[in-house]
Amino acid sequence: MTGAGTWSLGESDYERINEHLTELLKECNARCALVVDRTGQLLANAGEELSFDPTVFASLTAADFSANDELAKMIGEPEFASLFHQGEKESMYLADVARRVILVVLFDKRTTVGLVRLRVKQTVQDLSALLDEMFSRAPGQADKGGPLDGADDEIDKLFGK
Amino acid sequence: MINYASREINCKLVYYGPGLGGKTTNLEHVYGKVAPEQRGKMVSLATETERTLFFDFLPVDLGTIRGFKTRFHLYTVPGQVYYNASRKLILKGVDGVVFVADSQMERMEANVESMQNLYDNMSQYGYDLTKLPFVIQYNKRDLPNAAPIPELQEQLNPGWEVTDPAKQRVTPDSVNEGEFLISQVDGTWIERAPYMESIALKGEGVFETLRHAAKLVLKSMN
Ligand SMILES: Nc1nc2c(ncn2[C@@H]2O[C@H](COP(=O)(O)OP(=O)(O)OP(=O)(O)O)[C@@H](O)[C@H]2O)c(=O)[nH]1
Ligand SMILES: [Mg+2]
């Protein structure tokens, strides 16, 4: 284990994240919500079906956020905890969650940024607590042994010696 | 990241190296050769002159192991010295690194500088390049002014000392016959990063590099 990007997401955690997202969407009348980790990987999404490639969207979200983090530091802020991109019809609101993941909410004229911002606060708190719990759990307890344990031969077979 | 819900293993592989070395060309070749259902869109945040400004991004599926889809997120960094801030951001959460060196003699200094910069940026995140899956690709082997491999190895891949006694044994290089990844040099155990030769412009060595790096990344996860 090299400790760079390695971690895992269990099914029950995934479901709990999804519940929080669904709840948020109901309360603020937004179109959809996504959770993306800091390395640009999509963890979960809820709401309307996405009309774009979510993998690409996730990687750009992480890049957007980390570039803005650097900009924040340059002007003497520790971070921008949230970002708001306003479009003519569609807008997006991004919020940091415990410096581990990013919550993205896409919304249109059916709601307002004020309401979204207000509701996101609660979801950020809920997700932070959930992530703290996920990461404080003894490693490997939930999923003893990863799927690749002892899979060297299979890996060789897939990629060639 | 291992996602048990979607049964996917997601890995981040970063192509690093000096400007104009051929990082973007590597990804373009992969994009062009992989079946559309096994890859996503390629995104290039580039200048008008096609120099990488922030990054290129390409997600590819490299097959299934034990019911888990292995998805690799390939990134390139901007090689130009000037863009270090962006380059560093892309390394966040990296699972493996491919260093694309420009074999041309006159790019030796740029290669060395970029390698040093990689070590510096990695260590600022607390990542240790000698412990992470790491592959060096000597690109542009087609050019007449390409430096000989031993010279590139000496400059860019001199190796590091192996202190773990369990690893102190002669380990052959599976890619380059007759060479070794771990061997004793003047009484000291030295490990070098695996290397491959390539002509990215023609696609030669591109998939070999990707597969090798992917294999090391997956093995580092078990
Ligand atoms: N002769 C030759 N040219 C190559 C090879 N690989 C790439 N090139 C050319 O080198 C130039 C630069 O390639 P890129 O892939 O854009 O380089 P890069 O590393 O992404 O550069 P930055 O984005 O500035 O960091 C292009 O004109 C490529 O066609 C090769 O193997 N042989
Ligand atoms: Mg490039």
Side-chain angles (χ1 to χ4, degrees), chain B residues 34-51:
Chain B
V34 170
E37 56 276 15
Q38 277 165 283
R39 55 149 170 85
K41 255 168 78 174
M42 177 161 167
V43 173
S44 293
L45 303 184
T47 66
E48 272 162 24
T49 55
E50 306 221 327
R51 303 295 301 272

Side-chain angles (χ1 to χ4, degrees), chain A residues 4 7 9 41 148-149 156, chain B residues 2 4 10 66 94 219 222:
Chain A
W7 63 292
L9 177 69
Q41 314 200 29
L148 293 181
D149 273 4
D156 282 334
Chain B
I2 300 172
Y4 286 86
N10 287 303
R66 297 187 171 171
V94 66
K219 286 189 175 180
N222 65 9

